[in-house]
Amino acid sequence: MITVTAAVIERAGRVLICQRRADQKHPLKWEFPGGKVEAGEDPEAGLRRELQEELGIEAAKIKEITRFEFQYPGGDPFRLIFYQVEQYEGVVQNQVFADIRWAEVQQLPDFDFLEGDIEFVHRLATGTDWRRAG
């Protein structure tokens, strides 16, 4: 089963969200930075690699929030692991996305997120116990 990681990066009460490019699968949908874990790669190492590639930052302290399986119609199921990035080094730079934004947590449901992220976005926006690993 493919594992996908996603980072919740908070700054001053806002969360970093990223918009896919028009030429990608699920065009212009919003998501959290992260991506597929490569074969033989630890999920935390995969997240660190993805954050370096996508945003040019080094995650210094991360903690798993939750994980679950999801499947798009006609697709294979995958495991999605969300991590809270508590500290990072460097300056966030958009290196691959159509757009990136620091959004108010309560406003996250207003964005057109990937279907696999919607339940988590709702939990995050409503203050449901998302910080506890599941």
Side-chain angles (χ1 to χ4, degrees), residues 34-125:
K36 292 180 185 173
V37 175
E38 295 177 354
E41 187 176 44
D42 175 77
E44 287 188 19
L47 179 66
R48 292 176 195 280
R49 175 184 49 75
E50 289 285 350
L51 293 177
Q52 177 61 45
E53 292 172 0
E54 296 177 350
L55 302 171
I57 60 172
E58 298 286 339
K61 186 175 180 187
I62 64 176
K63 177 175 66 173
E64 184 174 329
I65 298 170
T66 191
R67 64 174 61 199
F68 55 87
E69 291 181 13
F70 189 81
Q71 183 174 4
Y72 286 100
D76 293 327
F78 61 93
R79 178 178 302 109
L80 183 55
I81 306 174
F82 285 90
Y83 290 93
Q84 180 179 13
V85 176
E86 297 176 331
Q87 296 175 359
Y88 63 89
E89 297 174 7
V91 177
V92 171
Q93 301 168 41
N94 180 3
Q95 299 185 141
V96 298
F97 297 103
D99 193 10
I100 64 172
R101 292 191 193 166
W102 291 97
E104 297 283 340
V105 174
Q106 297 80 5
Q107 294 176 335
L108 291 177
D110 297 338
F111 290 86
D112 187 16
F113 270 88
L114 289 169
E115 188 178 336
D117 291 349
I118 291 175
E119 182 180 345
F120 178 77
V121 165
H122 174 74
R123 290 173 59 203
L124 184 60

Side-chain angles (χ1 to χ4, degrees), residues 5 8 26 32 55 103 119:
T5 59
V8 176
H26 308 288
F32 298 92
L55 302 171
E119 182 180 345

